[in-house]
Amino acid sequence: MTTDSDGDRREGYDVEAILADEDQVAAWARANMAALMGELVERGCEEPWAGLEDGEADDEWPGCLQFSFECPPGYEGDVVMPGVPLEVVKAAGEVGSWAIVHNGVSYAWDELVEELSAFDAARRTIWANRDRLVAELTRRGLALRDEDVNSDPDASGDSWVTHHIAREGKTLRVSIPDVAVGPGLPQEMYVEGYPYAWEAAVEAVVEALTTAHTG
């Protein structure tokens, strides 16, 4: 990142002096990250983000700290946060000197808040869908423990999370979307790669996990 001295001075800070001091850079970056987390919490985000690391300097990102995090279950990412005052960061656009970089993409402050809020909401929808499915399977006689339902980040995408559901030695792959599923809703889930709306999906899971192996 390069500085835009005139723009930075308009915010009332001596950015060059800050950048010359690694401790100031680190302090501002951590304060900015805390401010970002605070805005996400205000928007209703849950645990943004679990496993957030303290931030590390990287030669690729001078004047910044890189924060790695894990948003359970299984989503890993990073935010490169500028180590300059928050007012300077908020005044920058997505292609400005002090844009924030999330997973390799540059964002203006407000855009990143919107992006992460939407991601959090989508993930909460997925978890609610998972819980609804597990409750329905339990109602139909499939007693599942917490350890019987596990997400698989490597087999998941931006708009769904694949889960492995295990019972009595059998394991089934169910991909759950970030759009609500349930009785009467048209949104499909994928069971072993095949699309099913709610009732058919439940039937497919029950049949697969209760049918005895043959041969």
Side-chain angles (χ1 to χ4, degrees):
M1 292 182 178
T2 59
T3 62
D4 179 349
S5 297
D6 291 340
D8 295 342
R9 289 193 186 115
R10 280 199 297 270
E11 303 304 323
Y13 294 95
D14 186 346
V15 173
E16 289 188 7
I18 293 172
L19 295 176
D21 185 336
E22 292 182 356
D23 289 339
Q24 285 197 63
V25 168
W28 280 116
R30 291 182 177 118
N32 294 343
M33 198 65 188
L36 177 61
M37 298 299 100
E39 286 204 24
L40 293 174
V41 169
E42 288 179 1
R43 286 171 170 253
C45 296
E46 298 179 357
E47 298 185 83
W49 301 99
L52 180 67
E53 297 181 3
D54 190 42
E56 296 182 351
D58 189 318
D59 291 341
E60 183 180 356
W61 306 105
C64 303
L65 289 185
Q66 184 171 22
F67 296 83
S68 298
F69 60 83
E70 182 173 1
C71 178
Y75 176 86
E76 296 180 351
D78 63 75
V79 171
V80 178
M81 181 63 73
V84 295
L86 184 59
E87 291 88 342
V88 176
V89 177
K90 286 189 172 183
E94 65 180 78
V95 294
S97 302
W98 300 112
I100 310 168
V101 178
H102 169 50
N103 289 353
V105 179
S106 294
Y107 291 87
W109 179 273
D110 289 343
E111 292 172 338
L112 181 60
V113 170
E114 291 292 340
E115 174 78 9
L116 295 180
S117 296
F119 176 83
D120 183 87
R123 280 307 188 257
R124 281 187 280 122
T125 298
I126 291 173
W127 310 149
N129 286 341
R130 175 201 59 197
D131 294 345
R132 190 175 300 114
L133 175 62
V134 170
E136 180 62 19
L137 295 175
T138 300
R139 191 183 72 81
R140 298 194 184 202
L142 274 66
L144 298 171
R145 302 163 299 176
D146 289 344
E147 57 266 33
D148 294 331
V149 183
N150 295 290
S151 62
D152 182 355
D154 293 333
S156 302
D158 291 338
S159 59
W160 75 89
V161 171
T162 296
H163 290 74
H164 296 290
I165 301 177
R167 183 176 184 271
E168 298 179 355
K170 301 177 184 178
T171 301
L172 198 67
R173 288 183 299 113
V174 180
S175 296
I176 300 176
D178 61 4
V179 177
V181 298
L185 298 178
Q187 178 62 43
E188 294 175 329
M189 295 182 286
Y190 283 80
V191 180
E192 289 294 328
Y194 294 95
Y196 298 93
W198 174 258
E199 184 63 32
V202 172
E203 292 290 349
V205 173
V206 170
E207 181 177 359
L209 292 179
T210 57
T211 301
H213 287 292
T214 60

